[in-house]
Amino acid sequence: MRKKILAALLLAAALVVAQSAGLPAATVIAAEDSQQAVGLGVAYHTQQEILDRMKKDGLNTSDTFSQPDGMTYGETPVTTAPYAAGSLSQDTLNKALAMLNQIRYIAGLQDNVTLSDEYNGLTQAAALVNYVNKDLSHEPAQPADMAKELYDLGYRGASKSNIASASWQNRSLNGTILHAWMADWDDYNIARVGHRRWVLNPQMGATGFGAVSGENGTYNAMYAIDYTGSGQEYGVAWPAQNMPVAYFDKRYPWSVSMGSDVDESTVKVTLTRVADSRTWTFGADSADGAFAVNNNISDICGQTGCIVFRPDGIEDYKAGDSFRVTIEGLASPVSYTVNFFDESSVNGGSQDGDNPGGSDQQPGGDNPGGSDQQPGGDNQGGSTNQPDSNPGGGTTQPGSQGGQSGSNVPAANVVVNVDWNAVGGKVDEAAMGEGVQNAEVHAGDEFEVPASVMNGLKGKDVTLMLHTGKGISFSIAGQDVKKQDGGWKVTMLSSVDIPAAAEQTVLQGAEASVEFGTQENETYAVPVGVHLNLGKENAGKRAFLYVYDEASDAMKLVSSFTVTAEGGAMFGMSRGGRYIAVVSEKAAEVAGMPTGRNSYTVKPGDTLSRIAAGNGISLGELMKANPQIKNKNVIKPGQVIQLR
């Protein structure tokens, strides 16, 4: 069964609502005795209680990621005129509701949200309108041949819902809820985690879900603006005090919603890892990572007074990890401990072989700040960073979360204001370390590395890692850089649009795939590596990168790579264009490519880093296999290099 991870095109739109009077105000209630937690007015659940709940719900990995059976209909939507919204099956609706309520249970909220037939109808119509338009919007345009009554339903639903889209079919609602709307990890959404706060709104009493899937991909919606519940919790934290490790990724921000406005200028957050006492601090003046406070001043994103922080340098969260959080500068202090767990860490080993809540299945991880050049996805932001309308507000807001998450809708690239002078300093600093070092930069999905930085990189044992925010990273090795007269420009495509016939020649039989593209088609002046994540389940398998050739209307093989234990793959690229990476035995056969060759003959213009990237191994592994090479910068055409 093929899992298609389309890093550039999973889009989602956070629901933002114009500030208005008349909404229920948060009421302070006495905090429970939450295992020494202070300032969290939520229920406390033990790890065993959460495991029992996860088993009862039966939401396994197939429910939380793209699967052919991830969504079924009660009535199949009609996606051409005359249109019909259709409806999701009761089973699909019940699973999505169970996922929502399970998340709320873990967070210590009332977990009795119900399904509303009205909301199901509105969100289903919203999903249809966005699907027909091939555009994710809270204020969708009316398709020319759609009846106004159906369109009006869709518009109402879209304006009051979390919405999301993925370029592949049958994206599950559970995957969207858990690893999109609850993630909110891209550069725009991290400042307010709006989707997450709607899911964790204490006063939600009812919701509805809609989804349409077909050749345009999958469009999902969850009704969010509901205040019919009686919950009045405050200090709502995610990750929660006891947190299933499979539900939280190193890229996801931490958040605490206090239920009343917070003065950003006085807040100081301290995060301490219990095992080694490593500490991160966050505040308005300085922060060891991302930091923000959102008070719903210009718009409403669920509960107000949200404190958001994400520590830099976290390699991963593992079962058994514990972190202490203290927050100062509030009217009353807040402190609590987050314990990450899985079934084996609770019971000393799995007794029945299942892994409630799934396994390490997140596409797109990366090695932020590291120096071992392990390939992987992006380490910043969500799957896509694109702007969208502000439902209910009438103004345009940037944001989105593709690649594996969901967030405030995309349509255009987000440009990050990179301080390239500072990047040059990072390169110089990295060059002072031993061995090949990384200089990490979050460059956004449209950037140009200036010639000054390229020339500063030239000849150094430094790899410049450029993270796009779309689950994709690019790398340039200093040893590959010659004197540059100009910079290197990349503009990521929001829609890859490879002709279906050509696409299917490499997707048929694929176990996993990633598609991405750049507006630029010219040949690069320097070899470039592209880093993707194809899933840990494909570790050790061979992956192949293809580029679409317009002249022949066919996919052309570029390079291959053996997927690492972490699910990463790094491919060499020499030009821009539209690409597909696949894990597939058939791809190897079609390419006529030996998957296990042991040697390589050096050609003019080759470098060791380029040879390594093109043969699925790291530069360190290549050097280890060739102890006779004393200077990695000196190789000659005709020289035979051992690959393994």
Side-chain angles (χ1 to χ4, degrees):
M1 186 178 296
R2 179 173 68 88
K3 177 174 74 177
K4 186 174 183 182
I5 308 166
L6 185 48
L9 289 178
L10 171 61
L11 314 179
L15 179 59
V16 182
V17 184
Q19 185 73 282
S20 60
L23 292 177
T27 302
V28 176
I29 59 175
E32 296 183 21
D33 178 10
S34 302
Q35 297 247 328
Q36 300 181 346
V38 176
L40 301 190
V42 297
Y44 178 85
H45 300 294
T46 67
Q47 295 175 14
Q48 188 60 58
E49 288 171 339
I50 293 172
L51 281 175
D52 291 344
R53 172 60 177 266
M54 293 164 76
K55 286 188 175 183
K56 178 180 75 72
D57 290 341
L59 304 175
N60 57 32
T61 57
S62 66
D63 288 319
T64 52
F65 278 92
S66 170
Q67 301 286 344
D69 59 349
M71 177 178 64
T72 57
Y73 296 114
E75 295 182 16
T76 302
V78 179
T79 57
T80 57
Y83 301 98
S87 63
L88 292 173
S89 69
Q90 197 61 48
D91 179 66
T92 296
L93 290 169
N94 288 344
K95 285 180 177 178
L97 182 66
M99 186 81 262
L100 173 71
N101 276 324
Q102 184 188 109
I103 288 170
R104 293 171 64 87
Y105 177 85
I106 293 168
L109 298 174
Q110 292 188 22
D111 57 325
N112 55 358
V113 176
T114 61
L115 288 171
S116 159
D117 290 340
E118 177 189 1
Y119 294 168
N120 286 335
L122 289 170
T123 51
Q124 186 63 30
L128 176 68
V129 173
N130 280 332
Y131 176 93
V132 172
N133 286 337
K134 299 182 185 179
D135 180 44
L136 195 62
S137 175
H138 290 295
E139 298 176 334
Q142 181 176 356
D145 50 358
M146 180 176 287
K148 188 174 187 304
E149 182 179 4
L150 177 57
Y151 164 71
D152 287 346
L153 284 176
Y155 187 95
R156 285 174 53 204
S159 68
K160 296 180 181 295
S161 298
N162 280 354
I163 56 178
S165 74
S167 63
W168 61 90
Q169 298 184 28
N170 297 307
R171 166 71 176 185
S172 75
L173 276 163
N174 287 6
T176 303
I177 296 168
L178 182 59
H179 291 298
W181 293 325
M182 287 301 294
D184 270 355
W185 55 284
D186 65 274
D187 287 328
Y188 175 70
N189 287 296
I190 197 174
R192 60 189 190 179
V193 293
H195 305 100
R196 179 186 295 177
R197 287 157 64 196
W198 283 120
V199 172
L200 297 179
N201 178 18
Q203 294 176 306
M204 177 182 280
T207 189
F209 299 96
V212 174
S213 181
E215 63 181 13
N216 294 347
T218 305
Y219 287 75
N220 293 331
M222 183 198 86
Y223 196 92
I225 307 181
D226 177 86
Y227 288 92
T228 62
S230 59
Q232 295 182 352
E233 295 91 345
Y234 65 92
V236 181
W238 195 263
Q241 294 174 77
N242 286 313
M243 187 69 187
V245 70
Y247 282 14
F248 201 77
D249 185 271
K250 65 183 178 182
R251 299 159 300 171
Y252 300 173
W254 297 50
S255 64
V256 186
S257 293
M258 299 310 302
S260 58
D261 285 357
V262 170
D263 185 348
E264 182 175 8
S265 67
T266 64
V267 170
K268 178 183 178 182
V269 180
T270 303
L271 178 68
T272 304
R273 186 162 55 196
V274 173
D276 58 4
S277 297
R278 180 175 178 182
T279 298
W280 296 260
T281 59
F282 306 87
D285 294 333
S286 65
D288 297 326
F291 174 74
V293 170
N294 187 281
N295 286 319
N296 287 343
I297 292 174
S298 60
D299 47 57
I300 296 175
C301 296
Q303 194 172 37
T304 192
C306 184
I307 303 166
V308 184
F309 52 99
R310 181 177 63 193
D312 284 341
I314 292 286
E315 295 179 359
D316 214 344
Y317 297 108
K318 300 179 289 296
D321 284 350
S322 293
F323 292 80
R324 187 71 178 165
V325 179
T326 60
I327 305 177
E328 301 171 294
L330 302 175
S332 300
V334 170
S335 62
Y336 61 98
T337 299
V338 171
N339 302 298
F340 291 97
F341 71 94
D342 61 15
E343 185 171 22
S344 63
S345 68
V346 175
N347 297 327
S350 179
Q351 298 176 1
D352 53 13
D354 68 346
N355 178 12
S359 57
D360 294 332
Q361 51 197 336
Q362 265 304 96
D366 183 79
N367 178 23
S371 59
D372 58 0
Q373 301 185 73
Q374 282 298 314
D378 198 287
N379 77 332
Q380 300 275 356
S383 327
T384 61
N385 289 303
Q386 318 225 8
D388 183 36
S389 59
N390 174 4
T395 59
T396 297
Q397 302 280 354
S400 141
Q401 196 160 310
Q404 8 266 299
S405 9
S407 251
N408 292 8
V409 193
N413 283 354
V414 165
V415 179
V416 176
N417 186 19
V418 178
D419 183 347
W420 290 108
N421 288 329
V423 172
K426 281 188 178 183
V427 170
D428 292 340
E429 182 180 348
M432 298 173 65
E434 295 184 5
V436 179
Q437 302 290 319
N438 283 3
E440 306 276 343
V441 180
H442 176 47
D445 36 18
E446 183 176 341
F447 61 88
E448 183 170 2
V449 183
S452 59
V453 172
M454 299 289 282
N455 287 321
L457 184 65
K458 176 179 175 291
K460 291 185 172 70
D461 283 340
V462 176
T463 297
L464 182 62
M465 296 294 300
L466 300 154
H467 305 292
T468 67
K470 286 190 170 179
I472 296 171
S473 300
F474 296 101
S475 63
I476 301 173
Q479 296 297 336
D480 287 342
V481 178
K482 312 302 179 186
K483 180 170 174 57
Q484 300 291 307
D485 295 325
W488 180 62
K489 184 177 181 180
V490 168
T491 307
M492 298 294 293
L493 293 174
S494 60
S495 179
V496 181
D497 292 336
I498 296 173
E503 185 181 56
Q504 286 305 309
T505 61
V506 296
L507 290 182
Q508 187 176 4
E511 299 173 53
S513 66
V514 174
E515 296 183 10
F516 66 94
T518 66
Q519 287 185 12
E520 298 78 22
N521 282 313
E522 69 273 7
T523 300
Y524 298 146
V526 62
V528 173
V530 60
H531 302 249
L532 312 169
N533 194 295
L534 294 166
K536 290 183 178 180
E537 68 275 15
N538 293 309
K541 297 178 182 177
R542 201 69 171 169
F544 300 86
L545 182 68
Y546 292 86
V547 65
Y548 175 65
D549 179 65
E550 291 189 10
S552 61
D553 190 26
M555 304 304 298
K556 301 293 187 182
L557 180 67
V558 176
S559 59
S560 69
F561 195 94
T562 301
V563 180
T564 69
E566 296 302 313
M570 178 180 70
F571 302 98
M573 294 173 56
S574 61
R575 60 176 301 143
R578 291 173 280 174
Y579 287 86
I580 304 177
V582 298
V583 176
S584 172
E585 289 299 323
K586 182 172 182 180
E589 297 170 5
V590 171
M593 185 171 189
T595 59
R597 64 179 177 181
N598 295 315
S599 63
Y600 175 87
T601 301
V602 177
K603 299 178 179 62
D606 275 342
T607 64
L608 285 179
S609 59
R610 187 185 304 179
I611 293 169
N615 287 279
I617 57 177
S618 69
L619 179 57
E621 290 172 327
L622 188 61
M623 291 297 293
K624 186 176 180 179
N626 294 272
Q628 78 281 6
I629 299 178
K630 305 303 181 183
N631 185 341
K632 63 179 176 292
N633 300 318
V634 179
I635 55 175
K636 299 178 180 179
Q639 182 178 352
V640 177
I641 304 293
Q642 297 303 310
L643 300 177
R644 291 168 180 84

